[in-house]
Amino acid sequence: MKTIQAAIAFAFILFTINPAFAQYGNGYGNGGYGNGYGGGGYGNGNGYGSGRMSQGMGGQSNFNTKPKEVPVEETVAKIMEDMKTELNLDALQEIAISNVLTESIKEQGILLKNESSSQEDKISQIQALSEVTNKRVTQFLDNGQKEKYTIYIEQRKNQTGTKKSKKKK
C-alpha cells in the first residue's frame, strides 16, 4: 500500500515539476535556467527563458519567420505597368491580359506548393504554363505588339538570368 502511495506521490511531483521548469526555457536544455544562466540551448534561448520575453518586446525568432507572400494582384499590376508602356496596350487589352496573368500566377503558385511533384516536374510544368500563358497573351495583341512582346519576354528572361547569377556570387 505504501509503495502505491509512494508511486502516486512520485508521479504527482514529476508532473508538477516539469511544467514549472518548462516556463523557464522550454523544458530542460533549450536555454534558460535548465541550461544555466548563461543562455544557450538551441538558438533562441536568452538565458532566462526561450526568447518569449524578447519576442513580446519586439524581437522576432529566426526559426518561424516566413517571407511575406506578395498578393497576385500586386504582381500583375507591376507587370502590367511595364507591359502597358512597352506594348502600347489599350484598356481592353490591358484588362484581358491582366486576367490571363492573374490566372497564370495563381496556377504557378499551386504548382509550386504541390509537395507530391519533384523539382524537375515542377520546372517542366511551370515552363509549359509559361508557354500557354504567352500564347494566350499574344491572342490579344496585333502583329506589331506581338513583335514587341517577344522582345519584352526576352528582356525579362535576361533580367532574371542576371539576378540569378548575382545571387550565386
Side-chain angles (χ1 to χ4, degrees), residues 3-45:
T3 57
I4 294 174
Q5 287 177 342
I8 292 173
F10 178 74
F12 178 75
I13 291 171
L14 181 67
F15 288 122
T16 56
I17 290 176
N18 189 20
F21 281 119
Q23 291 178 6
Y24 293 108
N26 281 346
Y28 303 105
N30 286 344
Y33 291 125
N35 204 16
Y37 287 101
Y42 297 97
N44 66 350

Side-chain angles (χ1 to χ4, degrees), residues 18 48 82 85 94 99 110 120 131 134 154 160 167:
N18 189 20
Y48 297 101
D82 291 340
T85 57
E94 188 178 347
N99 288 338
I110 292 169
E120 293 88 22
E131 291 174 13
N134 287 337
E154 288 299 319
T160 56
K167 286 183 180 179

Side-chain angles (χ1 to χ4, degrees), residues 54-153:
S54 65
Q55 287 176 2
M57 295 180 165
Q60 290 183 336
S61 172
N62 293 333
F63 295 109
N64 295 331
T65 58
K66 285 185 177 179
K68 292 182 179 178
E69 274 190 38
V70 178
V72 174
E73 292 78 16
E74 188 176 319
T75 304
V76 171
K78 287 180 182 177
I79 294 170
M80 289 306 299
E81 192 175 304
D82 291 340
M83 196 181 292
K84 183 177 166 181
T85 57
E86 291 283 329
L87 306 178
N88 299 322
L89 299 175
D90 63 23
L92 186 60
Q93 288 175 321
E94 188 178 347
I95 293 168
I97 292 171
S98 65
N99 288 338
V100 170
L101 293 177
T102 300
E103 183 180 322
S104 176
I105 291 173
K106 286 180 181 179
E107 287 181 35
Q108 184 178 7
I110 292 169
L111 290 174
L112 290 173
K113 290 179 183 177
N114 185 3
E115 295 178 7
S116 63
S117 298
S118 68
Q119 193 71 19
E120 293 88 22
D121 290 342
K122 288 180 183 179
I123 291 171
S124 63
Q125 289 172 344
I126 289 173
Q127 287 174 343
L129 177 63
S130 176
E131 291 174 13
V132 169
T133 302
N134 287 337
K135 287 179 184 177
R136 289 180 63 194
V137 168
T138 54
Q139 290 176 346
F140 298 109
L141 304 175
D142 62 28
N143 289 334
Q145 289 173 326
K146 287 179 184 179
E147 292 174 16
K148 291 178 183 178
Y149 181 70
T150 54
I151 294 169
Y152 174 78
I153 293 298

